[in-house]
C-alpha cells in the first residue's frame, strides 16, 4: 500500500466532528480614495510612488526616473516603453540595473501588486534586477485582498506574486534593511 | 547546519539565558516591540476579530475533511504537471528528498525557510550524503553558519546582536568585521547570489496549499524563495499535511492575518503562488504526516494543527521573551511549540513501539514554562486555545484515542515526576487532617522565625531563588481567634 493510500486511510479511520466552511464576505473596508490608501500602504512598505500627471507620457516619465536614467542596463516589459535590449539569459538578468514591468492590479489595503509570470524574459529577472519599476493602471485598483482573490478567480498561471515594495529584512537586531536578496528599490508608477 | 536539538530542560536553559540580565532584557524588549507592531496592525483592521473567527473555521473545517482536500490538492497539482509525494514520517520525507536530488546528480541546494525541514532534520541528513544545502533566509543563514538551531520561527537570529553577526561573517565569509546591519546584509546578498546562481535545486516550505487549484503559496520578505526557485531547474516544496486550505479565496483571509500577526506588516514583500512547474523545470511537492494525523485525532489538541506559523504567540509570551527560543530544545519553541513537541514525540518516537511512552517526557518541562496568562491565545490569528492546552498537558492529560499497538491511552502524555508525585501525596496527607495541618504550620512558623535558612534547603529551595520569606507570625490565625474569643468570654 502506498504511503498516500495509508495516510488517507488513517485519516478516514479517525473522523472529526464536522465544521462548516464559512462563506466569505465580498469585501470589508471600502476606501473612499483608493489611490491615497495605496500610496500610504506602498510608502509603509518602502516603495516610492509616482502618479502619472494627466497628459504626461509614460515612457518619458519612466526614462526620466533617476534610477532608470542612471542605469547602465535597463529594460522594459511594458508595451510602449522601450529601454535597453531584453536579457536573453540568467547572466544578463543578473546584470540588469533596472527592470520595468507591469502589474495587473494593485490592492489598496496593503500595497500589494499582482505580478504574473513575465513574458519574454526569464522569471528570475524580477528578482535579479537591482531595482524594479512597476506600472499599474489607476483604474486597476481593488480595495482589499478579498477583492483581489475574487478578481483572480482560479486563473493564476504558472506563477504570480503579490509584490509589495523592495526586498527587505530585519533579521539582524530588528534593524530594517532594504534590499536583501531581491530588488533594492521599487518605484510604482500609477498610470 | 541547523536542526540539532539542544536539551529541552527549560528551567536549566532559561537560568543560563538569564545569567546575562542586560542581554535577556534586550531580548525581552525587542520581542515585545514586535508584539506592539502586531497590535498596531491589528487595530488598523476594523474587522480583525471577524477575520480571526473566519480563519479558525476555515482551518478547522479543512482538518475535518482533510483526506478529501489532500486528494483534491494532489490531483489538481498533478494535472498542472507537479509531482506529489506523500511521506508518513520524517525519515520517509528525508529519503524522498534525497532520492530526488541523487537521481538528478544534485550536490548544491539552496533552501528558503521551512520549519518542516527543521522538524525532519533534513539539513544534516543531506549533508551526511555529500550535498551542500545553504539556508537563504538571512536569519537562517546566520544560525546555519553558527551551527545552531533557529531561536524563533520567523526571526531565527533574534537572539543575536549585530556584533555577533559581524564577527561571524568575518570568520566565515571573510568580511571586514563591520557590524552595521546594512553592510552585513550586503555581504550576505553577494554571498547568497552566487549560491542562487550556481544551485541545482531549490527547496522551499509552503505557507498555504490550495486544494481547489493545486497551487502552493510561499511568503517571504527577502525574495529568497523566488530566487531559489526561479534559477535552478528543480523546485522541491515540503509541507505538513495541515497546511491545506480549501479555496483560493481563503487565502484572502489568511494572508490578511499572517504578516500582521508575525511582524506587524500588512503583507510580506513577496507572496508567490506556484501552480505547476516553471517552463522547462520540475516541481515536486512532499506532503508530510509525521504524527499530524494522530494529533488530529485528539479532540483536545486538533486545533493546534491550525497554526499558520506566524510566531505571534512567541512574541507575546513573557516566558519566551525572557528565556529565548533555545531554552525549549524544539524546532518550534514558545507556546505552540510546547504543545506540539510532547505530542509529536508521543506519536513519533520509534521506541514507543515498545510501549515506552516516555519519549514525550523529554519535553515535560515545556508546558510548565508558562504563566497561564493566556496572552498567546489572545494574539493567535486562528484562535487556538493555547493556554488551555498547555494547562491540560500539565495536568497529566491522557491521550484520548488508541494508536494501534501503542497503549498510550493508558498513560499520561507527560507523567508527573516522582518528586512531584511524592510532594503532592505528602501535601495531600498533611492537609487532609486539621491536626496535621496545624502541626505543620507550627513547625513552619518556628523554623521560619528562628532558623529561616533551613527552609531554603530541601524541596522549597528553587522557590527561594527569587523570593524573600515574609515575616512569619508567632501564632496562627486559629490560635489568635481562640484567644480573642476567650477574652470576650465566648466559647473557643
Amino acid at each position: 500500500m502506498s504511503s498516500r493510500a495509508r495516510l488517507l486511510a488513517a485519516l478516514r479511520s479517525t473522523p472529526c466532528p464536522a465544521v462548516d466552511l464559512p462563506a466569505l464576505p465580498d469585501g470589508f473596508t471600502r476606501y473612499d480614495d483608493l489611490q491615497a490608501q495605496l500610496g500610504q500602504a506602498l510608502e509603509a512598505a518602502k516603495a516610492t510612488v509616482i502618479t502619472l500627471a494627466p497628459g504626461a507620457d509614460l515612457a518619458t516619465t519612466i526614462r526620466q526616473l533617476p534610477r532608470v536614467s542612471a542605469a547602465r542596463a535597463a529594460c522594459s516589459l511594458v508595451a510602449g516603453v522601450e529601454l535597453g535590449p531584453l536579457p536573453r539569459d540568467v547572466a544578463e538578468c543578473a546584470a540588469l540595473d533596472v527592470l520595468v514591468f507591469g502589474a495587473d492590479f494593485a490592492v489598496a489595503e496593503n500595497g500589494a501588486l499582482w505580478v504574473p509570470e513575465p513574458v519574454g524574459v526569464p522569471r528570475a529577472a524580477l528578482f535579479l534586477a537591482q531595482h524594479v519599476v512597476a506600472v499599474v493602471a489607476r483604474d486597476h485598483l481593488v480595495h482589499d485582498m478579498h477583492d483581489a482573490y475574487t478578481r483572480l478567480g482560479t486563473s493564476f498561471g504558472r506563477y504570480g506574486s503579490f509584490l509589495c515594495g523592495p526586498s527587505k529584512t530585519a533579521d539582524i537586531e530588528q534593524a530594517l534593511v532594504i534590499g536583501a536578496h531581491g530588488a533594492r528599490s521599487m518605484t510604482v508608477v500609477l498610470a | 547546519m541547523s536542526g540539532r536539538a539542544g536539551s529541552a530542560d527549560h528551567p536549566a536553559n532559561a537560568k543560563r539565558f538569564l545569567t546575562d540580565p542586560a542581554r535577556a532584557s534586550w531580548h525581552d524588549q525587542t520581542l515585545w516591540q514586535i508584539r506592539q507592531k502586531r497590535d498596531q496592525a491589528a487595530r488598523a483592521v476594523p474587522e480583525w476579530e471577524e477575520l480571526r473567527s473566519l480563519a479558525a473555521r476555515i482551518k478547522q473545517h479543512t482538518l475535518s475533511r482533510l483526506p478529501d482536500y489532500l486528494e483534491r490538492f494532489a490531483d489538481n497539482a498533478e494535472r498542472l504537471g507537479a509531482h506529489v509525494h506523500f511521506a508518513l514520517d520524517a525519515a520517509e520525507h528525508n529519503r524522498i528528498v534525497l532520492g530526488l536530488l541523487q537521481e538528478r546528480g544534485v550536490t548544491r541546494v539552496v533552501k528558503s525557510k521551512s520549519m518542516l525541514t527543521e522538524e525532519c532534520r533534513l539539513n544534516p541528513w543531506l549533508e551526511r550524503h555529500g550535498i551542500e544545502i545553504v539556508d537563504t533566509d538571512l536569519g537562517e543563514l546566520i544560525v546555519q553558519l553558527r551551527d545552531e538551531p533557529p531561536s524563533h520561527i520567523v526571526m531565527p537570529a533574534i537572539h543575536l546582536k549585530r556584533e555577533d553577526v559581524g564577527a561571524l561573517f568575518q570568520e566565515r565569509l571573510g568580511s571586514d568585521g563591520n557590524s552595521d546591519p546594512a553592510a552585513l546584509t550586503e555581504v550576505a546578498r553577494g554571498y547568497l547570489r552566487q549560491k542562487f546562481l550556481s544551485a541545482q535545486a531549490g527547496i522551499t516550505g509552503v505557507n498555504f496549499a490550495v486544494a481547489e487549484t493545486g497551487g502552493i503559496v510561499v511568503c517571504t520578505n527577502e525574495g529568497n524563495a523566488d530566487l531559489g526557485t526561479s534559477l535552478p531547474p528543480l523546485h522541491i516544496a515540503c509541507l505538513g499535511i495541515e497546511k491545506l486550505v480549501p479555496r483560493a479565496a481563503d487565502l484572502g483571509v489568511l494572508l490578511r492575518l499572517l504578516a500582521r500577526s508575525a511582524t506587524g506588516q500588512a503583507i510580506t514583500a513577496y507572496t508567490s503562488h506556484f501552480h505547476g512547474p516553471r517552463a522547462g523545470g520540475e516541481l515536486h511537492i512532499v506532503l508530510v504526516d509525521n504524527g499530524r494525523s494522530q494529533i488530529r485525532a485528539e479532540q483536545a489538541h486538533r486545533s493546534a494543527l491550525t497554526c499558520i506559523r506566524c510566531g505571534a504567540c512567541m512574541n507575546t509570551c513573557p516566558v519566551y521573551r525572557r528565556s529565548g527560543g533555545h531554552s525549549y530544545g524544539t524546532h518550534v519553541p514558545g507556546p505552540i511549540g510546547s504543545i506540539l513537541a510532547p505530542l509529536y514525540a508521543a506519536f513519533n518516537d520509534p521506541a514507543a513501539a515498545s510501549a515506552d511512552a516516555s519519549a514525550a517526557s523529554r519535553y515535560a518541562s515545556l508546558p510548565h514554562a508558562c504563566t497561564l496568562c493566556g496572552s498567546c491565545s489572545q494574539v493567535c490569528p486562528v484562535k487556538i486555545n493555547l493556554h488551555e492546552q498547555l494547562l491540560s498537558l500539565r495536568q497529566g492529560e491522557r491521550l484520548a484515542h488508541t494508536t494501534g499497538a501503542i497503549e498510550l491511552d493508558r498513560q499520561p502524555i507527560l507523567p508527573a515526576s516522582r518528586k512531584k508525585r511524592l510532594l503532592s501525596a505528602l501535601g495531600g496527607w498533611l492537609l487532609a487532617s486539621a491536626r496535621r495541618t496545624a502541626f505543620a504550620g507550627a513547625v513552619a512558623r518556628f523554623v521560619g522565625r528562628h532558623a529561616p535558612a533551613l527552609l531554603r534547603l530541601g524541596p522549597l529551595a528553587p522557590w527561594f531563588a527569587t523570593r524573600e520569606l515574609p515575616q512569619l507570625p508567632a501564632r496562627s490565625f486559629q490560635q489568635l481567634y481562640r484567644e480573642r474569643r476567650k477574652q470576650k468570654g465566648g466559647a473557643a
Side-chain angles (χ1 to χ4, degrees):
Chain A
M1 214 191 198
S2 69
S3 293
R4 169 176 170 149
R6 283 177 66 184
L7 172 61
L8 294 174
L11 290 169
R12 289 189 165 116
S13 71
T14 47
C16 300
V19 175
D20 286 340
L21 181 62
L24 295 176
D26 286 331
F28 281 103
T29 308
R30 304 289 92 180
Y31 297 104
D32 295 325
D33 187 341
L34 282 171
Q35 283 185 40
Q37 172 60 32
L38 180 71
Q40 272 174 45
L42 279 168
E43 273 161 29
K46 311 297 182 197
T48 308
V49 187
I50 296 188
T51 312
L52 200 61
D57 174 53
L58 178 65
T60 313
T61 305
I62 288 181
R63 244 182 259 115
Q64 287 172 348
L65 290 172
R67 292 237 157 76
V68 177
S69 57
R72 278 164 305 134
C75 79
S76 164
L77 302 173
V78 174
V81 181
E82 296 273 320
L83 295 170
L86 294 184
R88 291 157 299 180
D89 60 20
V90 164
E92 291 185 359
C93 292
L96 270 180
D97 291 312
V98 181
L99 176 70
V100 181
F101 56 83
D104 282 1
F105 63 90
V107 185
E109 87 158 281
N110 54 18
L113 287 86
W114 178 255
V115 179
E117 180 110 70
V119 175
V121 297
R123 187 192 292 178
L126 287 171
F127 322 111
L128 286 172
Q130 299 293 331
H131 302 276
V132 294
V133 177
V135 181
V136 63
R138 71 189 72 195
D139 58 1
H140 284 189
L141 268 50
V142 300
H143 294 266
D144 62 20
M145 291 298 281
H146 308 288
D147 295 333
Y149 280 101
T150 303
R151 188 178 178 120
L152 285 166
T154 50
S155 355
F156 289 93
R158 286 179 182 273
Y159 177 85
S161 189
F162 284 111
L163 301 182
C164 183
S167 160
K168 52 181 85 80
T169 181
D171 269 335
I172 300 175
E173 271 197 34
Q174 284 298 292
L176 183 64
V177 177
I178 307 300
H181 311 305
R184 297 176 187 272
S185 78
M186 174 186 275
T187 306
V188 178
V189 179
L190 264 181
Chain B
M1 176 225 89
S2 48
R4 193 210 302 147
S7 115
D9 179 349
H10 189 276
N13 295 334
K15 194 168 179 176
R16 250 195 313 277
F17 185 86
L18 292 165
T19 53
D20 185 343
R23 190 176 261 243
S25 176
W26 164 79
H27 184 268
D28 179 12
Q29 281 162 30
T30 303
L31 280 153
W32 185 248
Q33 276 165 27
I34 302 168
R35 156 81 211 248
Q36 290 177 309
K37 284 191 197 154
R38 170 255 169 215
D39 289 350
Q40 255 183 320
R43 262 183 239 124
V45 179
E47 59 272 17
W48 183 257
E49 288 303 319
E50 195 176 339
L51 286 177
R52 286 179 76 212
S53 297
L54 281 171
R57 279 170 58 205
I58 290 167
K59 288 295 246 167
Q60 282 167 24
H61 164 83
T62 309
L63 284 174
S64 74
R65 302 257 306 273
L66 191 59
D68 297 337
Y69 284 122
L70 281 170
E71 276 193 313
R72 202 179 306 177
F73 171 75
D75 293 345
N76 284 329
E78 281 166 350
R79 254 191 325 101
L80 293 170
H83 299 270
V84 179
H85 310 261
F86 285 81
L88 296 178
D89 57 22
E92 190 175 0
H93 163 271
N94 291 351
R95 281 195 306 271
I96 291 169
V97 175
L98 179 66
L100 289 169
L101 298 173
Q102 284 177 331
E103 276 161 31
R104 291 154 185 76
V106 171
T107 54
R108 294 186 305 277
V109 178
V110 287
K111 186 171 71 114
S112 69
K113 198 179 289 157
S114 162
M115 295 321 299
L116 177 80
T117 61
E118 288 287 328
E119 178 184 326
C120 297
R121 305 211 167 103
L122 180 69
N123 284 27
W125 166 260
L126 292 182
E127 281 162 0
R128 273 208 292 284
H129 288 87
I131 294 176
E132 176 196 72
I133 174 158
V134 178
D135 280 318
T136 60
D137 172 88
L138 178 60
E140 296 227 313
L141 173 69
I142 290 168
V143 296
Q144 182 178 46
L145 290 173
R146 283 173 58 101
D147 204 18
E148 66 186 14
S151 71
H152 189 288
I153 63 175
V154 174
M155 298 158 292
I158 190 107
H159 58 297
L160 297 172
K161 295 223 165 180
R162 63 190 67 191
E163 291 79 15
D164 301 323
V165 184
L168 176 74
F169 279 12
Q170 185 172 34
E171 187 202 338
R172 300 295 302 271
L173 303 181
S175 63
D176 62 6
N178 185 348
S179 61
D180 171 62
L184 290 168
T185 305
E186 189 68 31
V187 169
R189 181 189 178 94
Y191 172 76
L192 286 172
R193 202 157 259 233
Q194 286 317 303
K195 295 293 179 186
F196 287 127
L197 289 168
S198 62
Q200 298 159 307
I203 297 178
T204 70
V206 171
N207 290 90
F208 306 103
V210 184
E212 177 186 35
T213 64
I216 56 176
V217 180
V218 185
C219 308
T220 69
N221 271 316
E222 299 175 21
N224 54 317
D226 297 279
L227 277 165
T229 55
S230 63
L231 290 166
L234 173 61
H235 174 185
I236 303 176
C238 307
L239 65 153
I241 54 177
E242 82 281 21
K243 290 304 192 76
L244 257 68
V245 298
R247 311 164 291 199
D250 296 320
L251 296 170
V253 175
L254 290 158
L255 288 170
R256 295 187 73 203
L257 290 164
L258 178 62
R260 288 183 172 100
S261 301
T263 58
Q265 295 172 278
I267 193 155
T268 51
Y270 301 81
T271 304
S272 300
H273 300 54
F274 299 88
H275 283 81
R278 215 168 88 225
E282 283 186 270
L283 170 59
H284 288 259
I285 302 172
V286 188
L287 290 152
V288 182
D289 181 7
N290 204 34
R292 287 156 173 78
S293 56
Q294 317 257 42
I295 297 175
R296 173 181 172 268
E298 288 294 319
Q299 178 70 13
H301 295 296
R302 180 175 310 126
S303 64
L305 292 177
T306 63
C307 174
I308 62 174
R309 301 288 193 267
C310 71
C313 59
M314 286 162 225
N315 300 341
T316 198
C317 176
V319 177
Y320 176 89
R321 280 187 273 118
R322 295 188 190 102
S323 61
H326 289 159
S327 295
Y328 295 74
T330 66
H331 63 286
V332 177
I336 186 64
S338 301
I339 295 167
L340 291 174
L343 291 172
Y344 280 141
F347 293 125
N348 283 329
D349 186 26
S354 62
D356 170 20
S358 64
S361 62
R362 177 187 149 78
Y363 301 106
S365 70
L366 296 191
H368 295 270
C370 169
T371 65
L372 298 175
C373 71
S375 190
C376 48
S377 304
Q378 290 299 304
V379 299
C380 177
V382 288
K383 293 175 109 164
I384 303 171
N385 58 334
L386 294 160
H387 68 299
E388 289 174 353
Q389 294 190 34
L390 287 165
L391 179 59
S392 80
L393 283 168
R394 281 155 78 135
Q395 289 173 323
E397 177 195 354
R398 285 166 166 70
L399 291 170
H401 79 294
T402 53
T403 57
I406 304 168
E407 302 220 317
L408 291 169
D409 61 330
R410 305 242 186 279
Q411 305 175 50
I413 305 169
L414 295 174
S417 68
R418 208 163 156 259
K419 179 167 156 180
K420 186 168 183 180
R421 277 182 275 132
L422 277 172
L423 280 175
S424 292
L426 176 66
W429 175 78
L430 265 177
L431 295 169
S433 148
R435 290 176 73 176
R436 284 199 290 265
T437 303
F439 180 72
V443 169
R445 281 192 306 280
F446 182 84
V447 173
R449 285 164 61 79
H450 299 289
L454 283 179
L455 283 178
R456 292 172 176 271
L457 307 171
L460 291 177
W463 195 88
F464 282 103
T466 52
R467 293 177 183 85
E468 283 302 323
L469 195 62
Q471 179 69 19
L472 293 179
R475 286 170 306 191
S476 71
F477 170 81
Q478 289 200 7
Q479 289 168 324
L480 285 171
Y481 182 77
R482 270 185 238 118
E483 276 166 32
R484 289 187 193 170
R485 293 280 314 222
K486 257 196 218 149
Q487 281 165 16
K488 285 194 187 160

